[in-house]
Every structure is written in structure tokens, then in C-alpha cells.
Amino acid sequence: MTASAPQNKKPRTGAEPLALDTDLGWAIRMVSTAFRRVATDSVADLPGGARGYLVLVALAGGGEPPSQLSLAKEVSLDRTVMTYLLDDLEAHDLVARRPDPRDRRARQVLITDTGRARLARARESLGAAEARLLADLGPEDTEQLRTLLARVAQTAQREVVAPGEGAC
């Protein structure tokens, strides 16, 4: 991700010498642990903490309000957990649920104005925490990291939703 890194690097084969600082699993674990710690602190005042934050982010994007089930799939939460989380968010006036006009058995979830305001405060706090975590990267590297991680996350989400045929 640095400008000096060679662009024609060979793919990793597993034959390279072992070292923690070159192991993908170690790197993901370290970043995940650090991010979880700073993110948890940043969104602690939201009902459901990090889960509540992700729901609000998913809803703030606009467009057609999702059903509870599609929202649960989008943020990778069990539908029962989603129901309880939405109950908490609704009790704090951060989201509202209404019957889906296409299927009155289903409920659409909408973010409220209060939810947007609380989300904005949480994003500001989380942004400061992310800046500390990414302090050793420049703006271009930070953007590239975000882009690449989003692509890997989308692949991971597809694997969770529809694992390959060879999976045990």
C-alpha cells in the first residue's frame, strides 16, 4: 500500500518464511481487536452498541426502506437478534417500523431524524478513533485500504450467505 511497494510482487505460495508480521491472520486479528476496542467506545451510547451503529448506517443510505429480514441479512445478524435490536432502537426513537406496502406481513425499517442525529455524533467519534488507528497511513493509502477491505468484506459476506459447494 505504500508508493515504494513493488507492483509485480508474486502471489504468496505458503513457502515463504514464517513471521507474524507477514501473516494475514495475525494482521487481521490485530486490526480487528484494536478496531473493536475503539469502535465499541465510540458507539457505546447507542442501543446495541456496534450492532445498533451498523443498523443505523445501513438505514441512512436512503432508498427504499428495507424489511427487517433483508436488513438482518445486510448487516449479518440473526433475525431474532435483529428483532430485539430494533425493539431497543425504536424505544429510543432512532428507528421506526411500518408495514411493507407490498407485503403487509413484513415490516419496513426507517431511520428517524433522532436516529440520523445520533448516528452523526457516533460517526464523528468513530472517525476520530479510526484516524488514530490509521495514523501511519497517508490519505491515499487510507482510501486504498478502505476500498480493498470493502471488496474483501463483500466476498466474505457472499461466502457466509452462500458458501461454496465444496464447503463442509
Side-chain angles (χ1 to χ4, degrees):
M1 275 191 236
T2 61
S4 62
Q7 297 300 317
N8 58 355
K9 220 174 177 184
K10 292 182 182 177
R12 299 190 69 125
T13 63
E16 296 83 11
L18 293 176
L20 276 179
D21 65 348
T22 61
D23 185 81
L24 179 63
W26 175 83
I28 289 173
R29 182 174 180 174
M30 295 304 295
V31 171
S32 176
T33 300
F35 183 79
R36 190 176 310 113
R37 187 178 57 251
V38 299
T40 298
D41 292 345
S42 297
V43 298
D45 68 328
L46 290 174
R51 289 176 174 172
Y53 172 80
L54 289 177
V55 166
L56 293 177
V57 168
L59 294 174
E64 181 71 18
S67 69
Q68 285 185 206
L69 183 58
S70 65
L71 181 60
K73 287 178 183 177
E74 184 178 0
V75 298
S76 297
L77 283 178
D78 176 82
R79 65 183 186 185
T80 303
V81 172
M82 177 60 75
T83 299
Y84 288 116
L85 178 57
L86 290 176
D87 288 346
D88 287 346
L89 292 168
E90 195 169 36
H92 287 85
D93 191 36
L94 303 180
V95 302
R97 290 180 273 195
R98 69 177 184 204
D100 187 329
R102 293 173 309 248
D103 179 359
R104 298 194 69 74
R105 295 169 295 171
R107 310 283 287 165
Q108 289 181 322
V109 185
L110 302 97
I111 189 169
T112 64
D113 290 340
T114 302
R116 286 186 191 284
R118 293 277 298 277
L119 176 60
R121 287 195 304 270
R123 285 183 63 85
E124 187 176 311
S125 177
L126 188 56
E130 287 175 2
R132 288 192 309 275
L133 188 60
L134 301 173
D136 290 341
L137 301 180
E140 289 177 13
D141 285 343
T142 297
E143 188 58 34
Q144 184 178 20
L145 177 64
R146 287 178 186 280
T147 299
L148 294 173
L149 282 175
R151 287 172 45 196
V152 172
Q154 290 166 355
T155 301
Q157 186 176 39
R158 282 192 308 272
E159 285 297 312
V160 168
V161 172
E165 294 296 325
C168 295

